[in-house]
Amino acid sequence: MKWLPLHIRRQLHLSAYMYRIVNGYSPKNYMNKFSYISGGSRDGNNCNLYTKKSRSHKEFYYLGAKCWNLLPQPLRNADSPKGFSNSYKKQLMDSVFQDTDYLPNNKFDNLYTIS
């Protein structure tokens, strides 16, 4: 069976939740907790979210912004939450199962980057 490792499933679900927050599929007060990077930087042009400092690296606002910032631009522009989840899961599965150097790492703040 092709199941994603637990830490990557956690990343998938958090990214899907962030997609809903950023694109207005959740209550507005959630988006008020995040802010976009501004000032003409590369990150600002990519619509990245500001990553607040975190002591434990387990806080939702820290991990959520970090997950969103790792997403490729075409995924961020998906038409619906379901389409986002399906395409991101497919990309993660393809990347993990083709990566010969992949090693599971279940730390909360270690996020997998699609190669």
Side-chain angles (χ1 to χ4, degrees), residues 9-20:
R9 285 186 55 83
R10 196 178 318 131
Q11 179 179 341
L12 172 67
H13 292 294
L14 182 58
S15 297
Y17 195 57
M18 287 304 299
Y19 175 86
R20 287 182 183 96

Side-chain angles (χ1 to χ4, degrees), residues 12-91:
L12 172 67
H13 292 294
L14 182 58
S15 297
Y17 195 57
M18 287 304 299
Y19 175 86
R20 287 182 183 96
I21 290 172
V22 171
N23 290 298
Y25 291 100
S26 66
K28 297 285 182 211
N29 62 339
Y30 287 112
M31 188 55 201
N32 294 338
K33 303 291 183 184
F34 297 97
S35 60
Y36 287 102
I37 296 173
S38 62
S41 67
R42 232 183 358 235
D43 289 337
N45 293 337
N46 291 333
C47 296
N48 284 342
L49 296 174
Y50 176 72
T51 308
K52 297 178 181 178
K53 290 184 181 179
S54 171
R55 289 185 184 177
S56 68
H57 294 257
K58 294 180 184 179
E59 296 171 354
F60 170 72
Y61 302 112
Y62 171 80
L63 288 173
K66 198 170 172 185
C67 272
W68 180 257
N69 294 344
L70 284 176
L71 291 174
Q73 200 64 35
L75 267 177
R76 294 181 188 188
N77 299 330
D79 294 333
S80 67
K82 185 74 171 170
F84 170 84
S85 294
N86 289 341
S87 60
Y88 191 37
K89 183 177 181 180
K90 183 180 181 332
Q91 287 183 18

